[in-house]
């Protein structure tokens, strides 16, 4: 099960994911994140993945979707706190070369 928790800071929307992000959860996660972006029009989106316990390759779809959505709306996009297993998936796909990844929470 995936939990999605939004936090609005001064000029930043932080969407924190906790639990398992797999092909069963990805479509709903994309829809929820789209709704949150409409509700909180901050100039920066940080996707906090520090609470993930598992992510398969479908998690790439969520990250790429949010990256493209932010680019179209001229928002900054950062992925923060990816655990080792999801980070290996992102690195294998070459995402750290096209978007910002921050370590830590």
């Amino acid at each position: 099960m995936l939990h999605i928790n939004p936090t609005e800071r001064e000029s930043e929307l932080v969407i924190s994911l906790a639990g398992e992000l797999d092909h069963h959860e990805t479509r709903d996660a994309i829809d929820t994140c789209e709704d949150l972006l409409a509700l909180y029009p901050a100039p920066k989106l940080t996707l906090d993945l520090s609470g993930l316990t598992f992510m398969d390759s479908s998690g790439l779809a969520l990250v790429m979707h949010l990256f493209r959505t932010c680019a179209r709306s001229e928002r900054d996009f950062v992925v923060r706190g990816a655990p080792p297993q999801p980070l290996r998936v992102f690195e294998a796909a070459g995402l750290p070369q096209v978007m910002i990844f921050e370590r830590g929470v």
Side-chain angles (χ1 to χ4, degrees), residues 36-74:
L36 291 170
L37 286 169
L39 286 171
Y40 303 100
K44 178 181 180 182
L45 170 62
T46 298
L47 184 63
D48 183 346
L49 304 180
S50 61
L52 285 184
T53 56
F54 174 80
M55 186 191 88
D56 66 14
S57 59
S58 64
L60 293 170
L62 171 66
V63 172
M64 286 303 302
H65 180 84
L66 293 176
F67 175 72
R68 283 190 228 113
T69 299
C70 286
R72 281 193 303 270
S73 60
E74 299 182 358

Side-chain angles (χ1 to χ4, degrees), residues 10-54:
E10 293 175 18
S11 60
E12 176 184 27
L13 170 62
V14 178
I15 298 177
S16 301
L17 304 183
E20 296 186 359
L21 179 59
D22 58 19
H23 68 280
H24 298 291
E25 302 285 351
T26 299
R27 181 73 249 166
D28 288 340
I30 288 172
D31 292 342
T32 299
C33 289
E34 284 284 336
D35 291 344
L36 291 170
L37 286 169
L39 286 171
Y40 303 100
K44 178 181 180 182
L45 170 62
T46 298
L47 184 63
D48 183 346
L49 304 180
S50 61
L52 285 184
T53 56
F54 174 80

